[in-house]
Amino acid sequence: MQYHSVIGILAHVDAGKTTLSESLLFQSGVIRKQGRVDHKDAFLDTDPLERERGITIFSKQAILPLPQVTITLLDTPGHIDFSAETERTLQVLDAAILVISGSDGVQSHTETLWQLLERYRVPVFLFLNKMDLAEDSEDNLLAQLQEKLSPHCLSFSQMDDKFYEAAALCSETALQQYLDSGSISKETLRTAIAKRELFPCCFGSALKQQGVERFLSLLEQYTPILPENTAFGAKVYKITEDGSGSRLTHMKITGGSLHVREKLPSGEKVTQIRLYHGTKFQTVETAETGMVCAVTGLTKTYAGEGLGKEHDTAHPVLSPVLSYRVNVPDNLDVHKVLENLKKLEQEDPQLQVRWKEPLQEISVRLMGEMQLAVLQRLMLERFSMPVSFDSGSIAYRETIREPVEGVGHYEPLRHYAEVHLLLEPLPIGSGLQFATTCKEDSLDRNWQRLVLTHLQEKTHCGVLTNSPITDMKITLVAGRAHVKHTEGGDFRQATYRALRQGLLAAESILLEPWYTFRLTLPTEQVGRAIADLQHMSATFSAPQAATPTMQVLQGTAPVSEMRTYQTDVTAYTKGKGKLFCQVKGYYPCHNTETILEQIGYDAEKDPENSGDSIFCSHGAGVLVKWNEVPAKMHVPYATAKKPEQEEKAVQLAQQASAYRSRLEEDKELLTWFERTYGKIKRDPRQALQTERELVEQRPQKPLQPLKTGESYLLVDGYNVIHAWDSLKQYLPDHLDLARKQLSDWLCNYQGFRQCHVILVFDAYQVKGGREHVEQYHNIHIVYTKEAETADAYIERTTYELAKERRVRVVTSDGLEQRIILGNGACRVSAAEFEKEMAEIELAMKAFLQSGKLSGNHITMKQER
């Protein structure tokens, strides 16, 4: 029986995905000549942008009519910038082909694709391509797949006793069948593949047609068969526009059938059904279960929508991390540009086009420079709008550290609503979740639904940088309406204010996007790369040999630090180095204070996002500051922490009131003073100004640049020995042991911090002593000359070093501390340094257990 199946083809960039698509089409007789990406004649890469850049940008489909199954092949983008397009396509797949380059092995992006396939529960067939160029054997590559992807990846090249023995371990049904008969049926294998219990692997070269025929036969025999379903259902995965301007809704029919002129629940009618094959299509009257089609006549559909029995799909895991401001030429209408960008946003929802009314600016969210270039080209070719973009900035997000209950009250005359929201932090990557635990006898169900609707209808921003909030559960826990005066819009106001009030009361955390990276470069350049990565606040593993002359560094780093690093890698490796980055997710920002200072956002002065509430007093609405709301709210706190929250809010309100009272007293005192002693000739407002205002009025000296040179640590040896109990135990009989122990610990410190360490020992009373410096492993030990104290040496050295370098001095000598501060160095007490050493020892122990190299870590360890 002939049936339909939708199979997507996915890969890391340059793995040969499009070449394999061409080979499959050629082997199945669909095309007479196999196209090539480098020849710009690939059957599915038809867009001029794709042929120009040699990559797949837009997902497209082709039909493979095989004897037992008709396969709709969906070719997806391989470049990381278009990962969102790939993820949307996964929603409609019955199975997937994951192409892996035999010469590169499993890459970071390969693992990301594997995780997405697991999330959407898509069965996977693996094709190891470019085996004619691979240095590893099939067995070694298969072992890598089993280690990094799944132990159930099995080669279908030879289905002998060894194969059946391995396949039997993948499922209980297969094991029982193997024990009974010594073999496993094709149906049992197909079922195991459909349940993601078994992952078939084939090896070959798509360009040379090696192994492709075998792989095509494998697809035909083992592609999962979907159960029949008569109830209509469909999943929308893409919105596009054809050459004539018609809006196309791309969908997969998951149940029943769809007919031309059929009316959907939205009230819209299907006017045409198209089955695409490359750039060409044929129209049909009916689309059956399993078919992928493009429908005209629908204007309200959107990517990710479920029709009929299908539900909307969850928000995609991959999201853009860069924000760009659109530069609109003077001869273009900014509102028309916004309208056209909104059209493109329907095709790619991840664009997240935002209009900033006060600034009359448009911004978009993108994954990277490649997507930016494509968007600029589309605006020019489709709408004749030569827009440009700024250099881009990081798209930050915010979350909270601990739960908090936010309160919003909205009560102008003849209006009433109060909302209590519990905000709880969730694990990283959870996104936003909404719920209600409010009792219906205190707030009617319809009002509760309205509150949840208002929570989900807009992007809510945090109070640190006005960036979208994430990784948070927001629960409606209490509320109140008025029988006569409450209207729908009242709860919108109360909901927004409750959320904002909770964010203002909570401790917020700034999140930034991080990459997982894989850096391959010549061995002689590893030192330079490690230094760069440390400067980027990266976390990475120890270098691993890729070839006799090439090394690989893998880890994570902030996007803000690494987004342009490929240019540097190409320069200092003379084109031999290769950097691949994949967005890992949002994690705490590595330089929060710097970012907050740069952005300069004041949450309490944002009129569009107010945490204040409005109460009714004497027949009029009165604005109440966010920190005073708990003292005036009508509904008590619903969470267990209400006494502490209420007490804190009341304290804030009392402090504000006391401050205002002190200002009034200051004014009265100033008036009395002038009446007694005469008018003050300076500005009378100056006595009432804050220190910050006074500083701002003073002439500002030019800011001195931060010292960015090498880091130095100077340690007053005997001062530390006499301050640490762990070293004093050696005194007075074994001073040499104390010196050696301190020296060994500082060697560990240098290996961890990667700074210059100078340990100074006082030879003040050594008769005839001369100053000398000796190298002890990776640190320098200085013995001062006769009549020179360690203090004097350190004072002299810091004076010279601190001019252009970052210098820290470890000592508990009070006078010495004041001197080194005057020289521009930073001082650290012996007690503080002892704590720092203890933390380093713990970090090094963790490193030895995990085998990871993080930030400034190296593999040096001394017993303490």
Side-chain angles (χ1 to χ4, degrees), residues 202-220:
C202 278
F203 300 82
S205 171
L207 185 62
K208 297 183 178 180
Q209 291 290 325
Q210 297 173 0
V212 178
E213 185 177 0
R214 167 66 180 160
F215 187 63
L216 191 62
S217 174
L218 192 72
L219 292 176
E220 183 177 6

Side-chain angles (χ1 to χ4, degrees), residues 485-653:
H485 297 308
T486 298
E487 299 178 356
D490 299 347
F491 272 102
R492 173 182 282 109
Q493 288 288 336
T495 300
Y496 290 176
R497 295 171 188 272
L499 178 57
R500 192 68 170 180
Q501 197 269 347
L503 293 173
L504 286 165
E507 181 183 356
S508 294
I509 302 173
L510 185 64
L511 304 176
E512 68 174 339
W514 283 62
Y515 281 141
T516 58
F517 68 86
R518 177 186 174 91
L519 176 58
T520 305
L521 72 173
T523 302
E524 60 270 19
Q525 301 294 343
V526 169
R528 159 69 187 270
I530 289 178
D532 289 346
L533 294 174
Q534 291 170 348
H535 183 69
M536 295 178 192
S537 301
T539 298
F540 51 96
S541 59
Q544 295 180 348
T547 68
T549 60
M550 301 292 285
Q551 297 282 325
V552 175
L553 288 166
Q554 297 186 87
T556 62
V559 172
S560 58
E561 301 287 347
M562 188 167 270
R563 55 182 292 205
T564 60
Y565 188 53
Q566 177 63 66
T567 304
D568 295 341
V569 171
T570 303
Y572 72 74
T573 65
K574 299 180 180 179
K576 297 179 181 179
K578 185 177 180 181
L579 174 67
F580 175 77
C581 296
Q582 171 73 47
V583 177
K584 180 182 180 183
Y586 276 82
Y587 295 86
C589 183
H590 77 289
N591 58 341
T592 298
E593 295 301 324
T594 302
I595 299 304
L596 296 184
E597 185 177 351
Q598 288 176 356
I599 295 178
Y601 176 68
D602 190 340
E604 296 192 45
K605 294 181 180 180
D606 185 350
E608 301 295 325
N609 300 286
S610 176
D612 304 335
S613 287
I614 298 177
F615 289 81
C616 186
S617 177
H618 304 292
V622 177
L623 187 69
V624 176
K625 293 294 291 181
W626 67 272
N627 53 358
E628 300 176 10
V629 170
K632 297 181 178 296
M633 62 189 185
H634 293 181
V635 180
Y637 276 121
T639 56
K641 291 188 177 182
K642 58 185 177 183
E644 293 84 351
Q645 275 192 349
E646 189 169 354
E647 181 181 354
K648 181 179 178 181
V650 170
Q651 287 177 353
L652 289 172

